[in-house]
Amino acid sequence: MKKMNIKIWAGVFSILFAASSCDDFLDINDNPNSPISADVQLVLPQAITASASIANQFNSYGGHFGGFIANAGGFSGFGNLLNYNLQPTDYNNLWVNTYQDPLADLNYVISETEGIDELAFYNAAAKIMTVVNYQRLVDAFGDIPYSQSLKGEEGINAPVYDDAASIYQNLLVKLDEAMDIIDNAEFPLRLTRASDPLFGSRTATERSIGEQMLDWKRYANTLKLRILVRLGDAGGFAGLDLNFVASDNTPAGSAFLEDDAVVNPGYEKNRPNPTWATWGRTTADALANSSRVPTTFSFSFYNGTKISDSGRGETMFVNFPTTPINQLGNEVGNPTIVAGQVTWASNQAGLAGTGVLKGPGMGRPLMLLAEARFLQAEAELNGFIAGDYIETYYEGITASFAYLYEDENGGLVQAPAPLVTAYTNNNAGNRLVEIEAAADNTQRLEAIITQKYIAMNMITSDEAWNEYRRTGFPSTVAGGAPPFDIASNKSNVTSRADRLPTRILYPSSEQSFNASNYRVVDFTSERIFWDIN
């Protein structure tokens, strides 16, 4: 029997357990053609949930490098977060946890469901989630084990590192395979609410199988869009499916995400959303973190220095607009947090439970609708796909307001349209908001990426960091005043104009377990292949 990496979250998936013995339950060799495999139904939701948990770890990594998180007063030991003197031990968790948990489990699901029509949707979902996790690794580390990864049972214990750009191309193939599987399955079992904590649990009632799998297809197509935008390959956009047809007469609608892609396997106070557990409160209601505050750089997109945005600021930050802020690296007179208050959580009347940290039961986003719309706007701006980039751009801003004004249970506290109108009116003529005021496509792209950066603040900060490296936006002034300088003021290890590292190092775990393929990289100059800045 193949080894499985299963971590069972008691209570969430308990319906899948029977009174049979463990040996009977796990024996997948008795009937290899059985249309129902209890272990697959357990492994897929575990892998999706683990992908969400690691998304939180990537968010924290991107928050520090992408200019969102600064050190608060009263704490020491920030070390190389302040000067960027990176070490191989710094980000082991991103690498090890991704390979060890979701990717190993997703690989198992794929191998156990390949070619089995009844389990086609499990296979397709696992392939899509595999792309999510491998792309995150490539964007952080560049070349990674891919074609030979997860093949320990075949005797490959020192997998080679594949070329990052080639991996990107193969991820496109995997997404096409997954969408074809969804389209062509004849008698598939549905992904239940328990087995699909991403799109199966979005409403209080069971959604139709057509609606659920259309969402998976839209997610796959939006991931393709992200990869193609990052590649900048005009020819590749012809492979996007822009004319969805639902096999069960369900209205197809948009070819891209129509809502935020949010994982929620049943988070609650004692099993909280991982982002809430990191930046909010513990299960005993103590502050989970009191050593970080927003950066002066990121806060300038809310307090009027660059953009006036009280609408989103009031949902996101404690005591807005007098939230304690700091430039990363400043340890002289740096502010402490508001005593007893979660920094990235609103305490405004009527807005508690909205914003970035809504509560322990909130879902964990894998991709925001706002990101999807800004990706579309950029592709439309460049003529890669048809559409009105201006209209799509404002849809992205509206989607950002909508997400932040949702409560812990996904209900809207305020309608976004009036908030967006007030936002655009308050920033009339500001080309970072009013894209029509931009003089050329470079300035239009700056508006799109800047708004994407704002939308991803402390939600998917790693994607904002990726987009900064790819485009150079939002703009920074090296050595300038804190609202305009994205870097730590203690940066002293890179000669780059922006004083930021280009990437993180391969982890020390690879030095120990894959020494023949491990290599030292220069984090001050060596770039991920799509980083042309």
Side-chain angles (χ1 to χ4, degrees):
M1 176 180 159
K2 295 181 179 180
K3 293 182 181 178
M4 297 166 50
N5 178 21
I6 301 177
K7 296 179 181 177
I8 300 169
W9 194 348
V12 179
F13 308 120
S14 59
I15 60 170
L16 298 174
F17 286 94
S20 59
S21 71
C22 181
D23 287 343
D24 291 338
F25 178 68
L26 296 176
D27 190 354
I28 61 173
N29 298 311
D30 288 343
N31 185 359
N33 296 314
S34 173
I36 300 177
S37 177
D39 49 284
V40 168
Q41 290 179 355
L42 278 172
V43 178
L44 179 62
Q46 146 63 20
I48 294 172
T49 302
S51 299
S53 180
I54 291 173
N56 172 58
Q57 297 172 35
F58 274 89
N59 176 51
S60 297
Y61 138 79
H64 286 101
F65 287 103
F68 295 112
I69 301 173
N71 49 296
F75 291 86
S76 60
F78 286 92
N80 52 27
L81 278 176
L82 300 186
N83 60 18
Y84 306 131
N85 185 22
L86 303 182
Q87 303 297 319
T89 54
D90 288 337
Y91 292 98
N92 273 359
N93 62 316
L94 300 183
W95 180 286
V96 173
N97 292 351
T98 302
Y99 278 111
Q100 181 174 295
D101 212 341
L103 281 177
D105 288 348
L106 292 166
N107 186 61
Y108 178 83
V109 173
I110 292 169
S111 67
E112 293 302 308
T113 59
E114 200 72 68
I116 302 176
D117 187 76
E118 293 88 348
L119 296 175
F121 289 166
Y122 287 82
N123 184 274
K127 285 179 176 173
I128 294 167
M129 292 306 303
T130 294
V131 171
V132 171
N133 285 283
Y134 272 121
Q135 187 186 11
R136 283 196 299 227
L137 286 174
V138 168
D139 292 342
F141 295 98
D143 299 349
I144 58 169
Y146 181 70
S147 60
Q148 293 185 352
S149 68
L150 307 173
K151 296 184 182 295
E153 292 182 355
E154 300 175 23
I156 301 176
N157 296 313
V160 298
Y161 285 35
D162 293 280
D163 172 69
S166 299
I167 295 172
Y168 251 51
Q169 294 293 340
N170 192 259
L171 295 181
L172 293 172
V173 173
K174 285 189 179 297
L175 291 169
D176 284 336
E177 288 177 358
M179 288 188 280
D180 286 343
I181 289 168
I182 292 171
D183 286 340
N184 297 315
E186 294 185 358
F187 303 105
L189 292 173
R190 73 171 299 137
L191 297 177
T192 65
R193 287 173 59 82
S195 60
D196 180 7
L198 179 51
F199 295 115
S201 59
R202 278 176 42 175
T203 59
T205 58
E206 196 92 70
R207 305 166 73 237
S208 76
I209 193 170
E211 291 173 323
Q212 187 177 351
M213 297 317 295
L214 270 173
D215 277 338
W216 275 102
K217 276 191 65 179
R218 291 186 183 110
Y219 186 34
N221 215 36
T222 311
L223 290 168
K224 279 191 70 174
L225 179 64
R226 179 203 277 169
I227 290 171
L228 290 170
V229 165
R230 206 154 282 169
L231 286 170
D233 178 11
F237 285 87
L240 283 170
D241 188 348
L242 302 178
N243 299 291
F244 274 21
V245 176
S247 58
D248 66 346
N249 296 319
T250 301
S254 172
F256 302 109
L257 281 177
E258 293 187 329
D259 202 349
D260 304 300
V262 177
V263 173
N264 197 334
Y267 297 127
E268 45 91 16
K269 183 176 180 180
N270 292 318
R271 299 184 184 90
N273 171 298
T275 307
W276 176 264
T278 300
W279 300 106
R281 294 187 182 275
T282 69
T283 56
D285 284 329
L287 290 178
N289 193 295
S290 57
S291 64
R292 305 290 197 275
V293 294
T295 62
T296 311
F297 180 86
S298 66
F299 203 71
S300 67
F301 294 106
Y302 302 87
N303 68 357
T305 305
K306 297 173 190 165
I307 295 174
S308 295
D309 190 356
S310 60
R312 283 183 285 190
E314 289 175 352
T315 68
M316 290 184 57
F317 304 110
V318 66
N319 283 11
F320 183 86
T322 59
T323 310
I325 59 176
N326 192 33
Q327 183 175 25
L328 185 66
N330 173 39
E331 296 180 287
V332 179
N334 51 336
T336 59
I337 68 164
V338 179
Q341 296 290 316
V342 176
T343 297
W344 281 276
S346 177
N347 60 348
Q348 302 276 350
L351 294 180
T354 62
V356 170
L357 295 175
K358 306 173 190 293
M362 63 182 280
R364 168 64 230 182
L366 291 179
M367 178 182 277
L368 293 172
L369 176 60
E371 180 189 354
R373 292 296 177 263
F374 290 129
L375 285 167
Q376 287 175 250
E378 182 177 349
E380 291 164 355
L381 174 68
N382 290 323
F384 294 156
I385 62 174
D388 182 349
Y389 72 86
I390 295 176
E391 179 181 350
T392 308
Y393 166 82
Y394 285 113
E395 288 175 356
I397 293 176
T398 301
S400 174
F401 273 87
Y403 175 76
L404 292 174
Y405 274 84
E406 287 181 357
D407 61 21
E408 187 176 4
N409 300 311
L412 268 177
V413 173
Q414 291 185 37
L419 296 163
V420 174
T421 298
Y423 178 60
T424 53
N425 288 342
N426 290 337
N427 294 280
N430 184 338
R431 62 182 177 83
L432 296 180
V433 176
E434 187 182 349
I435 196 170
E436 299 92 326
D440 54 33
N441 275 6
T442 298
Q443 290 187 357
R444 294 179 187 109
L445 178 62
E446 182 179 9
I448 291 169
I449 301 301
T450 298
Q451 287 297 329
K452 188 189 293 189
Y453 181 87
I454 294 168
M456 292 173 170
N457 187 349
M458 292 300 289
I459 302 170
T460 51
S461 299
D462 55 309
E463 282 302 316
W465 167 231
N466 294 337
E467 294 294 69
Y468 169 78
R469 288 183 290 165
R470 178 177 71 91
T471 68
F473 298 127
S475 297
T476 179
V477 179
F484 303 96
D485 186 1
I486 196 171
S488 168
N489 66 8
K490 282 189 170 57
S491 176
N492 60 11
V493 295
T494 174
S495 59
R496 279 177 54 93
D498 61 11
R499 300 186 301 120
L500 289 171
T502 56
R503 51 160 297 157
I504 53 178
L505 301 177
Y506 288 115
S508 57
S509 59
E510 285 291 279
Q511 290 177 318
S512 300
F513 300 112
N514 194 8
S516 60
N517 292 302
Y518 177 87
R519 66 183 181 86
V520 177
V521 298
D522 184 351
F523 64 85
T524 70
S525 62
E526 189 169 333
R527 304 173 183 181
I528 308 304
F529 75 96
W530 42 250
D531 180 358
I532 61 175
N533 288 286

